[in-house]
Amino acid sequence: MKKITFNDLAIKVLKQAERPMTEREIWEYSKQNGYDKFVGTNGKTPWKTLSALIYVDIRDNANSPFIKVDSKPKKFYLKELEDQTVIEKEESKIDQPKNTKYHERDLHPFLTYYVNTYLNAYTKTIFHEKSSKRSYTKWLHPDLIGVNFPIGLWETEVVDFGLSIGNQLLKLYSFEVKKELTFANIREAFFQAVSNSSWANEGYLVSVSILDDEEFLTELKRLTSAFGIGIIRIDIQNVDDSEILFPAKQKTEIDWETVNKLAKENPDFRDFIIRVRNDMSRKKLEKKNTIKFLPRNKYLIP
């Protein structure tokens, strides 16, 4: 098979699959069938190149073989294969979160490792079931909270000086963890993170599976820009490949009223505050009872 263009590749795949497909689905189908090696690309995100070229062809070529299907996520199809019954079915479809063999709390050690390694912060899981059962506390608690200390990074005299003049030397984090983020759950998940992160310097929404779709990522970026909540993608196959897709907007002031409310409602949060206070008073991190990281070769959830 001779070298082909991305558009030729998309046409070939869509003809064989006979259904609308996202940019990523087209690329994965081509890999499964060995067609990808004939486009001669070494890029890290070839599906993005493919998508961009298809969009340009639809926009600039009146005789483009492609059409966009108004589904979530966006999908492409071929004019010659257009079948209204199929298209209508795709238009009404919104990808639902998949069932997985693991729970959200199984992801906490992975996030703990990443946050400690790349943000130099220490985390603690907040067990919601320990809180009072009042309904208005539903979105009060994040899944994990974290703190970045200057202890060990700054000279002791500088830490002492900062404390003596009342400066805030800590950075507090809030993390809301979801197994998957799609169009089906993004708004509820995002605003849950907004609600339970209002007290912290930085708040993040964290997930293993984040829909790799241009429209979806654009919406995530817009929400981050509007509300300041960052997005972290955790890689459970290799935690060091995890990444901050969109950084949180840092707040200089902590919402102490909410911190006080959290401390009243949840013993885990109260213990965290006590621990941070004691460590700052001693100017030494007490690392007992911290989460023990799994060996890197065991960072795998089936």
Side-chain angles (χ1 to χ4, degrees):
M1 184 175 177
K2 64 180 182 179
K3 187 175 180 180
I4 61 175
T5 67
F6 276 99
N7 283 4
D8 291 337
L9 176 72
I11 292 171
K12 182 176 184 64
V13 168
L14 290 171
K15 279 185 176 180
Q16 289 189 4
E18 295 185 329
R19 61 182 176 85
M21 303 174 81
T22 66
E23 58 198 38
R24 191 67 179 264
E25 287 173 336
I26 294 173
W27 184 252
E28 290 301 320
Y29 187 101
S30 73
K31 285 178 62 179
Q32 291 170 10
N33 290 276
Y35 304 148
D36 58 306
K37 57 181 174 290
F38 296 105
V39 295
T41 179
N42 294 317
K44 292 185 177 180
T45 55
W47 54 90
K48 295 296 183 185
T49 303
L50 182 146
S51 175
L53 291 172
I54 293 177
Y55 272 114
V56 169
D57 193 74
I58 292 173
R59 184 192 67 194
D60 299 340
N61 180 10
N63 297 315
S64 174
F66 303 105
I67 57 172
K68 289 187 294 184
V69 176
D70 189 20
S71 61
K72 291 184 180 296
K74 290 287 186 183
K75 298 186 178 184
F76 300 107
Y77 202 39
L78 297 175
K79 288 179 181 177
E80 65 181 88
L81 299 179
E82 184 176 1
D83 184 309
Q84 191 61 36
T85 58
V86 172
I87 299 299
E88 288 177 352
K89 182 178 180 180
E90 291 293 331
E91 284 178 342
S92 62
K93 178 182 177 182
I94 295 180
D95 289 349
Q96 299 292 329
K98 304 177 183 67
N99 291 324
T100 54
K101 296 180 180 179
Y102 56 87
H103 301 286
E104 287 177 359
R105 280 184 184 159
D106 293 329
L107 305 176
H108 289 200
F110 297 82
L111 179 61
T112 292
Y113 169 84
Y114 178 76
V115 167
N116 182 256
T117 303
Y118 295 98
L119 297 180
N120 193 38
Y122 298 85
T123 63
K124 180 179 179 63
T125 293
I126 301 299
F127 290 91
H128 298 204
E129 56 268 29
K130 294 182 181 180
S131 296
S132 68
K133 304 301 181 183
R134 286 174 287 187
S135 61
Y136 67 79
T137 64
K138 180 182 178 183
W139 280 9
L140 178 64
H141 314 88
D143 291 315
L144 291 96
I145 52 181
V147 60
N148 174 287
F149 288 97
I151 300 172
L153 300 176
W154 297 0
E155 296 296 322
T156 301
E157 294 77 10
V158 176
V159 175
D160 286 338
F161 180 68
L163 291 173
S164 68
I165 63 175
N167 275 18
Q168 182 183 317
L169 304 183
L170 306 174
K171 182 186 289 186
L172 298 178
Y173 296 89
S174 173
F175 302 97
E176 180 66 30
V177 180
K178 300 296 179 186
K179 292 188 289 185
E180 184 174 17
L181 293 176
T182 71
F183 279 111
N185 71 338
I186 182 55
R187 292 196 174 275
E188 179 175 358
F190 196 92
F191 289 110
Q192 184 177 0
V194 170
S195 176
N196 62 33
S197 298
S198 64
W199 57 275
N201 296 116
E202 292 187 13
Y204 283 92
L205 180 57
V206 182
S207 183
V208 170
S209 178
I210 298 176
L211 182 63
D212 193 1
D213 170 75
E214 185 176 2
E215 182 184 3
F216 185 75
L217 294 177
T218 298
E219 178 66 3
L220 274 185
K221 185 176 181 180
R222 183 191 70 80
L223 290 169
T224 294
S225 178
F227 298 99
I229 298 297
I231 306 295
I232 296 177
R233 187 204 306 270
I234 292 295
D235 189 327
I236 60 177
Q237 305 299 323
N238 184 355
V239 192
D240 291 300
D241 286 342
S242 303
E243 59 181 329
I244 297 177
L245 294 182
F246 304 111
K249 186 182 298 182
Q250 184 174 338
K251 292 177 286 188
T252 57
E253 297 294 330
I254 292 174
D255 179 359
W256 291 109
E257 287 292 337
T258 302
V259 169
N260 186 56
K261 184 176 181 180
L262 278 163
K264 285 182 178 180
E265 294 290 341
N266 186 277
D268 288 330
F269 193 92
R270 186 165 56 253
D271 290 345
F272 172 80
I273 295 299
I274 294 171
R275 173 76 173 276
V276 171
R277 181 200 62 191
N278 291 342
D279 285 349
M280 285 301 294
S281 297
R282 290 189 298 261
K283 292 180 283 296
K284 180 180 179 181
L285 297 181
E286 181 58 61
K287 295 188 178 181
K288 68 178 181 180
N289 298 325
T290 55
I291 293 177
K292 292 181 174 62
F293 300 132
L294 299 172
R296 293 190 185 188
N297 63 348
K298 292 185 178 179
Y299 267 82
L300 178 65
I301 292 178

